[in-house]
Amino acid sequence: MYSSLLNWVPPHSTLAIIAELGVILLLFDIGCETSIKRLAHSGRKAMRVALLGIGIPLLACGIASMYWLAIPPFTALFFGCALTATSIGISMRVLSLNNQTQSVAGHIILGAAVIDDIVGVILLSVLFNFASSGEFSISSTLMLFAMIAAFIMLSPPLVRTIIYLTRWLHLKASIPGYEVMVVMALICLFAWLAHWFGTPAILGGFAVGMGLSRQFTSPFNRYLKNPFAFTHKLEESAKPLVQLFSPIFFVYVGISLDISQLDLSLMGILLLFGLTLIAVSAKFVAGLTASSDWQERCIVGSAMVPRGEVGLVFAEMAASLG
């Protein structure tokens, strides 16, 4: 029995489907903002910040939650993984508002956030696979990594190929709302393919976003150059859908929360505060390794702290798995 604040809207299967579509669209939006080129420019610094920003919160929050909340190790691992991913959406918006996206710190932050999100999705896939099968197999985990890597590498060029075909069809016959239909068809197709590959459907939305992104680069780019005018139209046409459906995911997570299960005693609030403090400080410390300049270190550390959409994806996935 769920108990939200007013308990007016209970979780429903129809709302769950709409929420799932919302989170797939949300990952599509993140994919559109992902820049492999920036990732290459930021190089080893971004990689170091990202890996420490994943490892430190995962271990610190996982161990703290296991002992303080007295939960099983696997649940604690899920807890730790949920707090690893920096919100690339929040970081990008703050950086762009301050005209810092092209600075050295900006490149490190965005590169680290990109790695963060990709590793977060891979971790989610591994945990989801383990929770579904009930056993951990090295061979099946390695196979899952290979499948995810193949899907991430091959899907964006395939998306580009389909875009060329749909652009040709659009030139032959002008149909109202054509761009929206193309985007939704691509997202649904690749969400299904991701599920068929044995990975979460959200990875399909992420792959379509990368395929549309102006910033995406791959060895196939010399043959499949981005038709900017058309892909820009596709991206713009999808924004209202993202803005409409993605909040439903956040709402669904909210109404699925059983407040009666929260310990709101003084000790419970202190535990929540302690875990939050560990989660924030762990990310901040990881960012301090970015540079020799203290101001730059503090900027990167602060920018790695925000959590958002990926953490909520973890939370909802964990809730659905019990």
Side-chain angles (χ1 to χ4, degrees), residues 132-290:
S132 301
S133 63
E135 58 181 16
F136 180 77
S137 166
I138 294 175
S139 59
S140 63
T141 301
L142 289 174
M143 180 61 71
L144 181 63
F145 270 100
M147 295 282 275
I148 292 170
F151 185 82
I152 289 175
M153 285 190 293
L154 297 176
S155 292
L158 183 56
V159 169
R160 286 276 175 90
T161 306
I162 297 171
I163 286 171
Y164 269 93
L165 176 63
T166 55
R167 187 183 64 158
W168 178 78
L169 290 171
H170 186 45
L171 293 172
K172 294 292 180 183
S174 182
I175 303 168
Y178 182 77
E179 290 85 2
V180 179
M181 288 189 288
V182 169
V183 171
M184 284 306 298
L186 282 170
I187 290 171
C188 291
L189 170 64
F190 281 87
W192 174 78
L193 283 173
H195 180 73
W196 185 73
F197 264 70
T199 65
I202 56 173
L203 197 59
F206 185 73
V208 174
M210 284 201 298
L212 259 68
S213 175
R214 289 167 170 257
Q215 303 167 27
F216 181 73
T217 55
S218 78
F220 301 99
N221 272 25
R222 60 191 301 180
Y223 310 107
L224 295 169
K225 291 183 180 178
N226 192 333
F228 289 129
F230 187 60
T231 52
H232 181 66
K233 281 184 181 178
L234 293 176
E235 196 176 332
E236 287 297 311
S237 67
K239 281 185 178 178
L241 292 173
V242 175
Q243 290 162 358
L244 175 65
F245 285 102
S246 59
I248 296 173
F249 165 70
F250 293 94
V251 170
Y252 184 75
V253 171
I255 64 171
S256 298
L257 176 66
D258 189 351
I259 292 177
S260 65
Q261 295 297 314
L262 289 176
D263 181 4
L264 297 178
S265 65
L266 179 61
M267 184 55 69
I269 291 169
L270 287 174
L271 281 173
L272 287 171
F273 180 75
L275 287 168
T276 303
L277 189 63
I278 290 171
V280 170
S281 57
K283 276 288 189 181
F284 187 79
V285 167
L288 294 181
T289 63

Side-chain angles (χ1 to χ4, degrees), residues 284-298:
F284 187 79
V285 167
L288 294 181
T289 63
S291 171
S292 56
D293 180 68
W294 269 102
Q295 186 179 5
E296 205 166 84
R297 284 182 180 188
C298 291

Side-chain angles (χ1 to χ4, degrees), residues 290-312:
S291 171
S292 56
D293 180 68
W294 269 102
Q295 186 179 5
E296 205 166 84
R297 284 182 180 188
C298 291
I299 290 170
V300 175
S302 300
M304 294 305 292
V305 169
R307 312 307 207 281
E309 55 285 329
V310 179
L312 286 175

Side-chain angles (χ1 to χ4, degrees), residues 6 12 23 31 73 80 97 101 115 128 130 141 143 162 171 179 234 266 276 298 316-317:
L6 298 176
H12 191 271
V23 74
L97 284 171
T101 53
I115 298 170
F128 180 77
F130 177 78
T141 301
M143 180 61 71
I162 297 171
L171 293 172
E179 290 85 2
L234 293 176
L266 179 61
T276 303
C298 291
E316 177 54 29
M317 191 71 76

